Amino acid sequence: MTTSMTSDTTTTALNGDFNALTLTETDTYLLVEITRPEVRNAIDETMVSELHEVCSYLELNPKILIITGCEANGKGIFVSGADIGQMRDRRRDDALRGINNMLFHRIAQLPAPVIAAVDGYALGGGMELALAADFRLATPGAKFGQPEAGLGIIAAAGGLWRLKALIGEAVAKEILLAGKILDGNEALAVHLVTEVHKPAELLDAALALAGRIAKLDPLAVRISKQVMAMPAGAHPQVDNIAQAILFESEAKFDRMQAFLDRKKNK
């Protein structure tokens, strides 16, 4: 994957050394590249810990998060799934801790939007990580699947319910109960992803999407994301309260005045 990052790219303000992730930060986004190519970016305890550190930072410093994979032997890899060597030894209490489930829930709840740019394998926990994002972009060669039932477990980190909510029960059952794997174009057809790009263009497309988001008012985007996640019973009251907050923001006055000025000068 190639990219033409903006000139405001800096090293990240996050402290500490990262082993499973490579981070690049700008004023508007944090790019997280998962870099464990020797094990096809399998999720292990180190990666989980480092992603929690990323979440801690973004919860205090809201920015758009872009998550992508890396290349191995000339082929893209997003996340091939959990590290089965570690998972094999986990027991009931580990499952109740919800190691991946809690991480992906935290990613989904981040204040600013999350973009997953997927090339190659996004299987098991890798697909569930992508499902936790607000936007998914892919290449034709992406591979989305939930093979957990073949290993004697379930997709317990969001796959069972996020997938059904996103693409409908019928296709979700094909994936979860019959082991169907979707490529990028098939994922686009069922609205699992919103864009498909060539591998060399994928990251640039994700950055372009982040740029479109960044042009909007950050507070309006943040509140919109939170209100959209509210249960049906919270509406319309929560919408009115959220709008009341935004009606008092300086950005609302400035942006509306700018709109009126542009209209006047046409």
Side-chain angles (χ1 to χ4, degrees), residues 171-193:
V171 182
K173 282 183 175 179
E174 285 193 70
I175 295 169
L176 292 160
L177 308 184
K180 185 177 180 63
I181 294 177
L182 304 181
D183 64 25
N185 289 319
E186 291 170 326
L188 180 65
V190 298
H191 306 294
L192 176 58
V193 304

Side-chain angles (χ1 to χ4, degrees), residues 162-237:
R162 283 199 177 101
L163 191 58
K164 183 175 74 169
L166 186 64
I167 65 175
E169 187 170 338
V171 182
K173 282 183 175 179
E174 285 193 70
I175 295 169
L176 292 160
L177 308 184
K180 185 177 180 63
I181 294 177
L182 304 181
D183 64 25
N185 289 319
E186 291 170 326
L188 180 65
V190 298
H191 306 294
L192 176 58
V193 304
T194 55
E195 300 177 24
V196 172
H197 298 275
K198 296 177 181 178
E201 300 170 357
L202 178 65
L203 191 49
D204 277 334
L207 293 172
L209 175 56
R212 296 199 300 274
I213 296 170
K215 289 180 180 178
L216 307 178
D217 174 44
L219 182 60
V221 170
R222 180 174 178 175
I223 290 180
S224 293
K225 178 176 176 176
Q226 291 176 335
V227 172
M228 286 180 69
M230 295 284 184
H235 306 284
Q237 290 84 358

Side-chain angles (χ1 to χ4, degrees), residues 57-134:
Y57 176 71
L58 292 176
E59 286 162 356
L60 295 175
N61 305 276
K63 293 186 178 187
I64 299 162
L65 172 61
I66 303 170
I67 304 175
T68 193
C70 63
E71 288 187 0
N73 299 321
K75 294 184 178 181
I77 303 171
F78 184 67
V79 174
S80 62
D83 188 316
I84 302 302
Q86 290 185 5
M87 182 172 285
R88 179 190 55 203
D89 296 327
R90 291 178 183 170
R91 306 301 293 266
R92 176 187 59 200
D93 289 346
D94 296 306
L96 291 174
R97 285 169 55 207
I99 297 169
N100 289 354
N101 200 6
M102 294 301 99
L103 171 62
F104 299 159
H105 178 72
R106 193 175 183 187
I107 290 171
Q109 295 297 312
L110 285 173
V114 179
I115 301 168
V118 179
D119 186 22
Y121 292 117
L123 302 176
M127 183 164 180
E128 290 174 308
L129 173 58
L131 289 171
D134 299 289

Side-chain angles (χ1 to χ4, degrees), residues 35 38 44 47 55 65 74 106 110 127 137-138 145 200 218:
T35 48
E38 68 280 2
D44 68 347
M47 187 189 298
C55 288
L65 172 61
R106 193 175 183 187
L110 285 173
M127 183 164 180
L137 284 62

